[in-house]
Amino acid sequence: SPSAAGEMTIGSGMLLLLLLPFCGSAGAHNGDLTVRPTCKPGFSEEDYTALVSQNIMEGQKLLKVKFSGCPGNNGIQYETNNLDFKVRTDGTIYAAHQVQIPLKQTVFMVTAWDHQTLERWETVVRLLVGEKSQHNGHKQKGKKNASTDLAQQPSDTLLPWRQPQNSNGLRRQKRDWVIPPINVPENSRGPFPQQLVRIRSDKDSDIHIRYSITGVGADQPPMEVFSIDPVSGRMYVTRPMDREERASYHLRAHAVDMNGNKVENPIDLYIYVIDMNDNRPEFINQVYNGSVDEGSKPGTYVMTVTANDADDSTTANGMVRYRIVTQTPQSPSQNMFTINSETGDIVTVAAGLDREKVQQYTVIVQATDMEGNLNYGLSNTATAIITVTDVNDNPPEFTASTYSGEVPENRVEVVVANLTVMDRDQPHSPNWNAVYRIISGDPSGHFTIRTDPVTNEGMVTVVKAVDYEMNRAFMLTVMVSNQAPLASGIQMSFQSTAGVTISVTDINEAPYFPTNHKLIRLEEGVPTGTALTTFSAVDPDRFMQQAVRYSKLSDPANWLNINATNGQITTAAVLDRESVYIKNNVYEATFLAADNGIPPASGTGTLQIYLIDINDNAPELLPKEAQICEKPNLNVINITAADADIDPNVGPFVFELPSVPSAIRKNWTITRLNGDYAQLSLRIMYLEAGMYDVPIVVTDSGNPPLYNTSIIKVKVCPCDENGDCTTIGAVAAAGLGTGAIIAILICIIILLTMVLLFVVWMKRREKERHTKQLLIDPEDDVRDNILKYDEEGGGEEDQDYDLSQLQQPETMDHVLNKAPGVRRVDERPIGAEPQYPIRPVIPHPGDIGDFINEGLRAADNDPTAPPYDSLLVFDYEGSGSTAGSVSSLNSSSSGDQDYDYLNDWGPRFKKLADMYGGGEED
C-alpha cells in the first residue's frame, strides 16, 4: 500500500530503492507536488524490457524506445552507455557488433539529448535471456507487463529481491532484481549535498534500521564522495563529479538493526557520471612537421595530426573533427591542402607544388569536439609545417657554351679549366650535385673532370701527361648531369653540353736513353782504354736546337770513362769479375745526359756490363791446418781447394806433392777421392810428434790451367785407441818438451808459495797492531767511557754563516751544488748521505786521530746534518758520575786561561791537568 511519502512496500523483508529527481527536473521533489507543464518531453517508459537470446548478431534489432517531444525539440539524438548497443534516430536499439550476454540479463542506459537546449532524458533498458515460453508476459513496456503482485507498485520503486509468494502457494523465485544504474552529471553546481536516491526496508515499521554504504567513494578513497542518512536512507552526493577523474562508482547499501545485525542482504548500487563537454581537444604536438615532394599529384598523403579529447569518446562531447583554418603562403593557390575531418590526414588537393618557388607551407589546423559543431563544440589549434622536398626537375646547364685552357706538356694533376653550371634544385643534394664526363675529343684519356664539392664546378684535370710534339691542342666535348636521375617527364637541356679547347705549351724536356737499362757482355780483364759501347741519349725536343753532353753519375769501381760529346764508353781500369763491386757477374754504372736548354734538363741511363769469367785465379788449398796421429792408418786429412773463378775454370782439381824437398814425398802421400777432394796421410809407419809444414800443389781445370803451391800445417801427435790426440801428446805436438813443462810447473808452485807467505805476514802484522799497548797508562785510559755524540758546532769561531740556510728552501739544488763548506738547513735534504767511518773495536793509538779527522770531514760535507743552532739529542751517559758539572766551562778569547781546576776533577782528568796546568811553569 502507498506510504505517506509516496513509497511502496512489498511484503516483509523487502528493501526498496526510490529514485528521486536530480538536478531540478520537473516532477515531484522531496515528496512535494508541483504543477506539471502542459507538455513534458521524455521517454514513454522509465525502463524497457526485452527477451533476447544469449548470442546476438551484429545489427540485430532488439527493441524500440519511444520519446515524446514537445514543439521546439527538434534534432533529438540517442546514445547509450554500453558500447555493445546503439540507437537509431527512430529509437530502434540494435547490436553494434556480435554480442554474447554472459549473465541472465544485461542492463544499460539510453539517453536522449537535444542539440539546441542540451537537455537530457534517460531510460533503462533490460535485456533478459531466457525461453519465450517462460517469459511470454515480458514485452517492451516492462512494468506494465510485470506480474500482478507488482502491478500496484509506484513506477519509481524497484525491488532488489523476489519476495516469497503469498499463502496461495506460489513458489519463491531465486533470481534477484538488478538495480538500474544511477546517473549523475559531472560539474554540477550544487548546492551540496544533493540527494540521489532513498533506500528503505519494509521492516523499518517494526524495528529501527540503520543504513550505510560502502565502496570506493564512500569509505574507500576517494572518501566521502557519497553519504547516506543512516535513519532515513537518503543517499547524497557531496561535491561536483568529474567524469575524467572517475567515470563510475560501485557501492553497496547495507541495512542493520540497532545491534548491528543484518536485516537485509546488501544491494549493489552503480553510479555513472554523465559526461559534459568540459574538455577541449588537445593536440599531441603543438607543431607538426611533414614533407611532400614538389610536383606531387592531388591526393598525395602529407602527414597526420592527432588531437585527443578527455571527454567521453562515445558521445559527441569527445568526437573530434578537424579542419584547416589558414595556409601560408597562399601560393599558387590558397587551398593547396585538405584534411580528413575524422582521421586528421593532410593530403594535397591542388597541383603546382614547386620547391623553387615555395619551399615551405605553414598550415593552421583546428580540432573541434561535438563532431565539429563550431557553435557548441570546444576547439583548439596546432601548426603543421609542410616542407616541399626537392625532386630533380631542373637539369644542370653550363653558363657558357665554350671554355678554354692551357697546360704544359708532361704535367699531371694540373687543373686546366673550370666549368661552371647552374642548377635550381636543392644545393648540395643529389639533385644538384653535378657529374661531368667527356664524350669526345680525348681518345687517349689524358683528361678527366672532377666536381668541386663546394661550388659544383667541373675541374678539367690532366691525369695522363700530354706531349707537345704529339698533340699541340685538344678539342673536348663535355656533358653535365646530376647524381640523381631527372624526374619523370623532364628532358635534358641543350645547354647541358659544352666545348673545351685546351692548348699544350712546349717545355724543355730532358734527354732520355732509348735503352735503359743497357746490357753488354764481355770478358773480364780487357785492357785499359778499350772501347766498350756507345751509350747515347735522345732529346725529345724536336723543335729546339740543343746539344746533349754526357757525364758519369755512378761508377763504383771507377772502371769506365764516357765521351762527353758522343757517349762512347771506354775502360779506365781492368775489369775484374771477382771484384766486390760485381753482383751476379754484372757491373752497373749510371750516366747523365744533359741538354743546354733554358732551364737545362737532364736524364739518366744505366749501363750493365756482364763479365765473362776467364781463368785468372789459381786455386787455394783448404784447410790450412790439420792434425794427424803419429802412426798411419788411424786417421787421414781430407783436403779440397777453393777457386775464385767459376765453371769451367774451377774443378776438378789435381792435388800432388812437390818433389822437392824429397822428405815430403817420403813421409806423406795423397790419395784422390774425386774431382774436388783428396786425402793426405802418412806414408811411413811412424812420425815423431810435432808441427810439420806440408806443401801441396793444386791445379784447376781452366784453359790454360793455373796451379798454386799451398802449405798446410799438420800437427802430428800421439793418439789414443779412438784416434784422438792425447793431452800430453797435444802439448808435445805443440813443441814443448818435458823440461819446459817441468819449468812451468815449478814457476806455478813458487808463485803460490809467495802469495801464501804474504798472507801470513799480513795476518801477523795485524795481530801485532792489536796487541800493542797504548801510549798512556791503563788507569788514565778514558776511552772505555768515551761515547759518540752528535757534533754541536765550532763555538765562537763558527758563527760566521749564512742565516738564510736555516730557512725552508724551495729546492735543494743550491745546497747540493754548493761548494764544499757549510751546508746545513732546517730540513733533511734529498740526496746521498755520506758514509761516516766506523770506529774499530780495538783501535790503534794512531788511528784515533784519523778516525776523528774522517768524521770531521764527513760531517762538514754532509748536506743532511742539522744547523749548528738546532736542538741536538745526546746519548745518555748514566748516573753517578764522579765528574763534576761542566756547566761552569766557558770560552774566552784571551790566552790567560786558568786550568788548575782540572786537578779537582778526579783521576780521569789527571793527564789533561798535567798537560795544561804545567804550561806556565814551562
Side-chain angles (χ1 to χ4, degrees):
S1 62
S3 63
E7 300 169 354
M8 185 73 70
T9 60
I10 305 174
S12 62
M14 184 65 191
L15 183 62
L16 302 182
L17 177 66
L18 284 80
L19 303 178
L20 302 181
F22 183 74
C23 290
S25 61
H29 180 63
N30 293 335
D32 297 332
L33 183 62
T34 60
V35 179
R36 296 178 181 270
T38 305
C39 178
K40 178 183 177 182
F43 287 100
S44 60
E45 300 295 336
E46 293 185 0
D47 59 72
Y48 293 85
T49 304
L51 186 66
V52 296
S53 61
Q54 188 172 15
N55 295 318
I56 303 175
M57 303 302 295
E58 180 179 359
Q60 179 180 343
K61 298 180 181 179
L62 304 178
L63 57 90
K64 184 175 182 180
V65 296
K66 183 178 181 181
F67 182 84
S68 299
C70 295
N73 296 121
N74 297 326
I76 297 298
Q77 294 188 0
Y78 301 96
E79 62 185 26
T80 70
N81 62 354
N82 193 326
L83 299 178
D84 295 334
F85 305 98
K86 291 187 177 181
V87 185
R88 293 191 176 95
T89 56
D90 61 352
T92 301
I93 300 176
Y94 65 96
H97 51 82
Q98 185 176 356
V99 180
Q100 182 177 9
I101 301 177
L103 302 176
K104 296 298 182 180
Q105 65 175 350
T106 182
V107 180
F108 57 90
M109 185 73 66
V110 176
T111 303
W113 59 286
D114 192 334
H115 272 293
Q116 298 178 354
T117 64
L118 299 181
E119 290 185 275
R120 291 173 175 269
W121 299 269
E122 298 173 346
T123 186
V124 177
V125 176
R126 291 183 182 84
L127 300 180
L128 304 179
V129 179
E131 300 293 337
K132 291 185 179 180
S133 60
Q134 297 177 0
H135 302 278
N136 53 10
H138 290 279
K139 297 181 180 180
Q140 288 185 359
K141 297 183 179 181
K143 291 186 178 178
K144 293 183 180 180
N145 298 292
S147 58
T148 57
D149 58 348
L150 302 176
Q152 298 180 351
Q153 294 294 330
S155 61
D156 57 353
T157 302
L158 299 176
L159 298 180
W161 303 275
R162 290 283 187 179
Q163 298 299 322
Q165 299 295 332
N166 55 20
S167 57
N168 293 335
L170 297 177
R171 292 179 300 174
R172 178 182 178 181
Q173 301 294 327
K174 293 183 180 181
R175 181 184 295 114
D176 292 339
W177 287 91
V178 177
I179 304 302
I182 304 169
N183 296 312
V184 181
E186 65 173 335
N187 301 325
S188 175
R189 297 184 179 180
F192 295 100
Q194 289 181 338
Q195 182 174 334
L196 298 180
V197 294
R198 182 182 180 187
I199 302 172
R200 63 181 296 264
S201 173
D202 58 352
K203 297 180 181 180
D204 60 355
S205 59
D206 300 330
I207 59 175
H208 293 287
I209 296 178
R210 292 293 181 264
Y211 302 96
S212 63
I213 55 176
T214 59
V216 176
D219 60 346
Q220 300 177 20
M223 308 286 285
E224 299 179 352
V225 177
F226 303 97
S227 63
I228 189 170
D229 189 322
V231 177
S232 64
R234 290 185 174 88
M235 191 172 73
Y236 302 91
V237 59
T238 61
R239 55 189 172 187
M241 309 295 290
D242 187 358
R243 193 201 68 84
E244 288 70 43
E245 180 180 346
R246 191 175 182 88
S248 63
Y249 296 86
H250 178 200
L251 304 177
R252 304 200 76 182
H254 306 271
V256 297
D257 58 15
M258 299 301 292
N259 296 324
N261 298 319
K262 182 174 69 173
V263 176
E264 303 286 358
N265 291 327
I267 60 174
D268 293 321
L269 302 178
Y270 293 92
I271 302 173
Y272 293 101
V273 182
I274 303 303
D275 182 47
M276 303 295 288
N277 191 19
D278 57 345
N279 290 277
R280 293 180 180 273
E282 295 291 340
F283 283 94
I284 297 177
N285 300 312
Q286 196 60 34
V287 178
Y288 290 84
N289 291 284
S291 62
V292 61
D293 291 339
E294 61 175 331
S296 297
K297 297 179 180 180
T300 303
Y301 172 80
V302 180
M303 60 192 303
T304 300
V305 296
T306 304
N308 297 323
D309 196 317
D311 292 325
D312 190 356
S313 60
T314 63
T315 66
N317 297 336
M319 296 181 181
V320 180
R321 299 294 182 265
Y322 304 91
R323 73 185 187 96
I324 293 178
V325 179
T326 61
Q327 168 196 307
T328 305
Q330 298 180 354
S331 173
S333 171
Q334 63 179 358
N335 295 318
M336 296 296 297
F337 306 95
T338 186
I339 188 170
N340 187 305
S341 61
E342 295 185 0
T343 63
D345 294 340
I346 298 177
V347 297
T348 59
V349 71
L353 290 173
D354 190 352
R355 190 206 65 84
E356 286 71 40
K357 296 180 179 179
V358 179
Q359 298 183 2
Q360 191 178 84
Y361 290 90
T362 300
V363 177
I364 305 300
V365 180
Q366 184 183 58
T368 306
D369 57 15
M370 299 298 292
E371 296 183 299
N373 191 322
L374 298 178
N375 295 325
Y376 304 106
L378 301 177
S379 301
N380 214 336
T381 60
T383 302
I385 299 177
I386 302 174
T387 302
V388 181
T389 55
D390 184 48
V391 297
N392 195 12
D393 57 347
N394 294 282
E397 298 177 348
F398 285 105
T399 58
S401 59
T402 59
Y403 298 87
S404 62
E406 187 179 75
V407 58
E409 64 174 337
N410 301 324
R411 297 280 300 277
V412 294
E413 297 301 327
V414 177
V415 177
V416 179
N418 289 333
L419 312 180
T420 56
V421 295
M422 180 185 65
D423 196 322
R424 292 186 297 272
D425 289 321
Q426 178 70 39
H428 305 290
S429 68
N431 300 329
W432 179 82
N433 295 335
V435 178
Y436 300 88
R437 60 190 179 94
I438 300 173
I439 58 178
S440 66
D442 185 23
S444 300
H446 291 283
F447 304 96
T448 188
I449 305 179
R450 298 167 180 166
T451 305
D452 189 314
V454 178
T455 63
N456 212 28
E457 295 180 352
M459 300 180 293
V460 182
T461 307
V462 181
V463 294
K464 183 179 179 182
V466 296
D467 190 355
Y468 175 82
E469 287 72 27
M470 299 294 295
N471 295 289
R472 300 187 183 185
F474 292 87
M475 298 294 296
L476 308 180
T477 302
V478 298
M479 175 181 287
V480 62
S481 59
N482 293 124
Q483 289 181 351
L486 289 174
S488 177
I490 305 299
Q491 300 296 328
M492 290 292 294
S493 172
F494 70 94
Q495 295 180 348
S496 295
T497 58
V500 182
T501 301
I502 300 175
S503 301
V504 182
T505 59
D506 190 17
I507 63 172
N508 185 25
E509 299 178 76
Y512 68 94
F513 291 89
T515 55
N516 194 14
H517 302 23
K518 184 175 182 180
L519 178 65
I520 62 174
R521 300 171 63 92
L522 70 152
E523 287 185 351
E524 63 174 330
V526 295
T528 302
T530 302
L532 302 181
T533 184
T534 299
F535 196 28
S536 59
V538 177
D539 192 345
D541 296 316
R542 294 178 296 174
F543 303 100
M544 297 181 184
Q545 298 299 325
Q546 299 177 146
V548 178
R549 296 189 64 82
Y550 302 91
S551 60
K552 284 197 304 182
L553 189 63
S554 173
D555 184 11
N558 201 21
W559 286 346
L560 305 175
N561 289 327
I562 186 169
N563 188 293
T565 304
N566 57 19
Q568 186 181 39
I569 307 296
T570 58
T571 60
V574 177
L575 279 61
D576 185 7
R577 191 200 64 84
E578 291 75 31
S579 172
V580 294
Y581 301 106
I582 301 299
K583 305 296 182 185
N584 298 323
N585 302 325
V586 176
Y587 180 73
E588 192 171 276
T590 305
F591 298 92
L592 183 70
D595 60 20
N596 57 351
I598 301 175
S602 61
T604 61
T606 301
L607 178 65
Q608 293 179 330
I609 303 175
Y610 185 89
L611 295 178
I612 301 173
D613 185 45
I614 63 174
N615 194 19
D616 57 345
N617 292 279
E620 293 288 337
L621 184 68
L622 294 178
K624 298 296 184 181
E625 294 181 356
Q627 69 178 16
I628 194 171
C629 294
E630 59 186 2
K631 294 181 179 181
N633 301 328
L634 292 180
N635 55 6
V636 295
I637 300 173
N638 292 324
I639 57 176
T640 185
D643 198 324
D645 296 321
I646 60 175
D647 191 67
N649 298 319
V650 288
F653 300 104
V654 176
F655 303 91
E656 57 184 350
L657 295 173
S659 58
V660 179
S662 60
I664 299 300
R665 291 192 174 185
K666 177 182 178 182
N667 297 334
W668 305 93
T669 183
I670 292 179
T671 304
R672 180 183 178 87
L673 296 179
N674 53 36
D676 294 331
Y677 290 92
Q679 289 182 343
L680 176 65
S681 59
L682 288 175
R683 178 186 291 273
I684 60 179
M685 297 303 296
Y686 173 79
L687 185 63
E688 184 180 357
M691 294 295 298
Y692 295 87
D693 292 337
V694 180
I696 298 178
V697 180
V698 184
T699 305
D700 60 20
S701 299
N703 186 19
L706 294 180
Y707 68 90
N708 181 31
T709 301
S710 300
I711 303 298
I712 180 173
K713 292 184 177 297
V714 180
K715 180 191 297 184
V716 179
C717 60
C719 297
D720 55 16
E721 61 276 5
N722 297 323
D724 298 326
C725 285
T726 60
T727 303
I728 298 177
V731 174
L736 295 178
T738 305
I741 296 175
I742 294 174
I744 292 174
L745 293 177
I746 292 175
C747 290
I748 293 174
I749 294 173
I750 293 174
L751 181 61
L752 293 177
T753 303
M754 292 177 63
V755 171
L756 182 60
L757 291 176
F758 179 76
V759 172
V760 172
W761 178 78
M762 289 297 296
K763 290 289 185 179
R764 183 175 180 182
R765 184 174 179 274
E766 186 69 20
K767 183 176 180 181
E768 290 177 354
R769 290 179 56 188
H770 289 171
T771 56
K772 189 175 182 180
Q773 296 294 326
L774 293 176
L775 296 179
I776 59 177
D777 296 333
E779 61 272 11
D780 296 332
D781 186 8
V782 296
R783 289 180 297 168
D784 54 342
N785 290 331
I786 293 178
L787 298 178
K788 183 179 181 298
Y789 300 95
D790 291 333
E791 185 171 323
E792 295 185 76
E796 291 81 3
E797 296 178 359
D798 199 30
Q799 296 301 317
D800 187 14
Y801 54 86
D802 187 4
L803 292 177
S804 64
Q805 300 296 323
L806 303 179
Q807 300 178 357
Q808 174 67 32
E810 294 182 357
T811 63
M812 290 305 299
D813 295 341
H814 67 285
V815 176
L816 297 177
N817 298 330
K818 188 176 178 182
V822 179
R823 297 181 181 176
R824 304 197 178 226
V825 293
D826 55 353
E827 283 192 8
R828 183 182 184 91
I830 300 174
E833 298 183 1
Q835 298 296 326
Y836 286 86
I838 301 176
R839 181 181 176 184
V841 179
I842 305 177
H844 189 273
D847 295 339
I848 296 177
D850 296 337
F851 174 81
I852 295 175
N853 292 331
E854 290 176 3
L856 178 60
R857 284 194 300 271
D860 289 341
N861 296 322
D862 185 8
T864 65
Y868 288 130
D869 57 351
S870 299
L871 181 62
L872 301 177
V873 179
F874 299 93
D875 292 340
Y876 180 69
E877 294 185 289
S879 60
S881 175
T882 57
S885 174
V886 298
S887 60
S888 60
L889 293 176
N890 55 13
S891 62
S892 175
S893 59
S894 65
D896 299 330
Q897 180 68 32
D898 186 11
Y899 297 99
D900 294 335
Y901 57 85
L902 294 176
N903 296 319
D904 301 330
W905 284 12
R908 293 182 180 274
F909 291 88
K910 184 177 183 302
K911 191 72 175 180
L912 187 61
D914 294 341
M915 294 173 60
Y916 285 89
E920 296 181 356
E921 297 176 0
D922 297 338

